[in-house]
Amino acid sequence: MRLNLTALPGDGVGPEVTDEALRVLETIAEVFGHQFNITRKPIGGAALLASKDPLPADTLQACLGSGAVLLGAVGGPAFDNFPSHLRPESGLLRLRRELGVFANLRPALCFAGLEDCSPLRAEVVRGTDVLIVRELLGGIYFGEPRSTQGSPGNRVAIDTMRYSEAEIERIARVAFELARSRRRKVTSVDKANVLDCSRLWREVVTRAGQQYSDVKLSHMYVDAAAMALVARPADFDVVLTENMFGDILSDQAGAVVGSLGMLGSASIGGAVGLFEPVHGSAPDIAGQGIANPVGAILAAAMLLRYSFKLETEAVCVESAVGGMLAKGFRTKDLAKAGESVLSTSAMGQKVAEAVRERAKPAGQKAAS
Ligand code: NAD
């Protein structure tokens, strides 16, 4: 297959981890006989410095014209005092909206051998394999009216949480469909004891669920879900929730399984899929070659699965990552005292080598 891809390395550790994800994708192309045409474009702070726009028109056009977008991260302290429309993060929010990606998928998987990286006891976190399905384009992050009014000391701020039945139904369907390829359990998270939006959410999700009788649906209030996610994370399969609750719960799920550097994400449902590690630009470690590239590499695996429908190739990348971790290869964020530490590029190389090894025919494997 010939596949067009736009890479947006961004800021901080973004370019470092994106390089490793692209290295793994190029290895996949080589061993499975595909061809990736990769176009690199600036976004975020890098684009602001170059053209005073965190999402230049040229970058957006390239994204809209490609089969998938792989993003590193945006942001950094140099831009913290910029007005909100000129902050690197506003470029990313605009990109998500322009691509129409309403479904954000954030898997949190506890890899064998990494149970000790969790702040929770190993026996609590072992076996955790949660997929958070977060609605990405609605809710309180986008609802109108929003404003801050009045004079200092007497100001009043307003945000609006808003959901339509159609918005709820389309994200619910994504969650039910995904549950069918997993353990067939959906936990829908809301605050239906307090919020009108949540009462509508629960009603519409329940109605959509009637068409998926093979999937077990349950509902939880967000406060109870937050507690259960740390008390018994391995019980969850697919967690379906709205924008703000999903933002919070998905970071929490990330912390449960260890380093933030391990998590990839996919934003789908629109014209073009957007794939990125969950972490930010990590300015505290940028430029040192020590960032963990696994989150970006797992985002690349999701790109293969969801945008290019290359399931075998996606599984190959995921099992290469699992294999490297099981063998004890660690970046700095994962290593315990006394363990040897791989650089960002050395970890990327290890995963690429493992991809090559896994893709070999069985006979060749035995001979090598
Ligand atoms: P962050 O995710 O960048 O970093 C949080 C902590 O995790 C830091 O200690 C960092 O060193 C560590 N970390 C992050 N990625 C890592 C990796 N790959 N390997 C090892 N350790 C890693 O969050 P932050 O510090 O709150 O934000 C920094 C900047 O990133 C801010 O400007 C923020 O707005 C931006 N941000 C961007 C995105 C995005 O691009 N999607 C997401 C979150 C934050």
Side-chain angles (χ1 to χ4, degrees):
M1 280 174 76
R2 292 168 76 90
L3 307 162
N4 291 324
L5 179 67
T6 301
L8 309 176
D11 307 319
V13 298
E16 301 168 42
V17 299
T18 303
D19 278 351
E20 300 316 313
L22 291 175
R23 182 203 298 273
V24 171
L25 284 178
E26 273 157 7
T27 308
I28 284 285
E30 189 188 311
V31 298
F32 285 92
H34 305 303
Q35 190 188 330
F36 284 114
N37 298 321
I38 298 166
T39 309
R40 289 171 190 257
K41 293 286 176 186
I43 191 170
L48 266 173
L49 294 178
S51 62
K52 295 192 169 55
D53 183 350
L55 181 65
D58 178 48
T59 297
L60 179 58
Q61 280 314 314
C63 293
L64 287 168
S66 63
V69 180
L70 183 69
L71 178 109
V74 297
F79 310 100
D80 280 353
N81 295 324
F82 279 43
S84 61
H85 69 287
L86 280 184
R87 292 195 47 165
E89 294 80 356
S90 72
L92 178 54
L93 287 181
R94 193 144 56 87
L95 177 63
R96 289 172 179 164
R97 212 173 36 231
E98 295 280 358
L99 296 179
V101 286
F102 67 86
N104 183 225
L105 317 184
R106 287 188 171 192
L109 177 70
C110 179
F111 282 95
L114 288 191
E115 294 86 352
D116 288 349
C117 294
S118 171
L120 303 180
R121 290 195 312 276
E123 65 267 28
V124 174
V125 77
R126 187 171 291 117
T128 298
D129 180 0
V130 189
L131 175 63
I132 306 232
V133 177
R134 165 189 170 196
E135 201 290 326
L136 198 60
L137 294 182
I140 200 163
Y141 291 179
F142 290 95
E144 297 285 347
R146 56 190 307 154
S147 66
T148 306
Q149 287 171 355
S151 51
N154 290 304
R155 284 174 299 170
V156 174
I158 299 169
D159 293 288
T160 302
M161 185 183 267
R162 179 193 174 282
Y163 269 109
S164 69
E165 293 195 44
E167 283 172 309
I168 301 168
E169 174 137 8
R170 67 179 182 176
I171 188 72
R173 289 190 180 284
V174 170
F176 287 118
E177 291 291 340
L178 288 166
R180 280 185 162 161
S181 62
R182 295 172 51 94
R183 303 193 304 281
R184 293 176 186 261
K185 281 201 304 190
V186 170
T187 307
S188 175
V189 172
D190 60 40
K191 189 70 182 167
N193 49 344
V194 177
L195 299 174
D196 272 24
C197 271
S198 282
R199 281 190 277 274
L200 184 64
W201 180 277
R202 195 174 278 221
E203 189 189 316
V204 175
V205 169
T206 303
R207 192 174 68 210
Q210 285 162 1
Q211 286 161 34
Y212 297 86
S213 53
D214 52 327
V215 177
K216 186 174 179 304
L217 169 65
S218 58
H219 301 273
M220 275 183 118
Y221 297 139
V222 63
D223 40 352
M227 203 167 62
L229 206 51
V230 286
R232 42 184 182 81
D235 282 2
F236 288 94
D237 180 15
V238 175
V239 172
L240 162 66
T241 192
E242 62 90 47
N243 204 343
M244 182 169 62
F245 298 160
D247 193 3
I248 298 166
L249 291 180
S250 59
D251 270 28
Q252 188 189 342
V256 163
V257 297
S259 169
L260 199 53
M262 296 287 298
L263 306 171
S265 80
S267 300
I268 59 171
V272 181
L274 172 65
F275 302 86
E276 49 184 314
V278 165
H279 63 77
S281 61
D284 52 335
I285 59 166
Q288 298 175 36
I290 58 171
N292 186 343
V294 165
I297 292 170
L298 291 176
M302 296 175 90
L303 177 153
L304 292 168
R305 171 172 296 123
Y306 294 114
S307 277
F308 296 140
K309 312 292 175 226
L310 297 173
E311 180 64 21
T312 306
E313 288 83 338
V315 170
C316 180
V317 173
E318 288 161 350
S319 72
V321 167
M324 287 303 95
L325 295 170
K327 282 186 180 169
F329 292 112
R330 303 280 184 265
T331 40
K332 193 171 176 211
D333 52 317
L334 300 176
K336 291 204 249 345
E339 279 183 339
S340 62
V341 168
L342 293 185
S343 68
T344 309
S345 64
M347 188 61 155
Q349 265 166 30
K350 287 282 177 207
V351 177
E353 279 163 23
V355 162
R356 207 167 263 122
E357 186 59 29
R358 276 173 164 67
K360 273 186 197 166
Q364 260 180 280
K365 270 187 208 165
S368 61

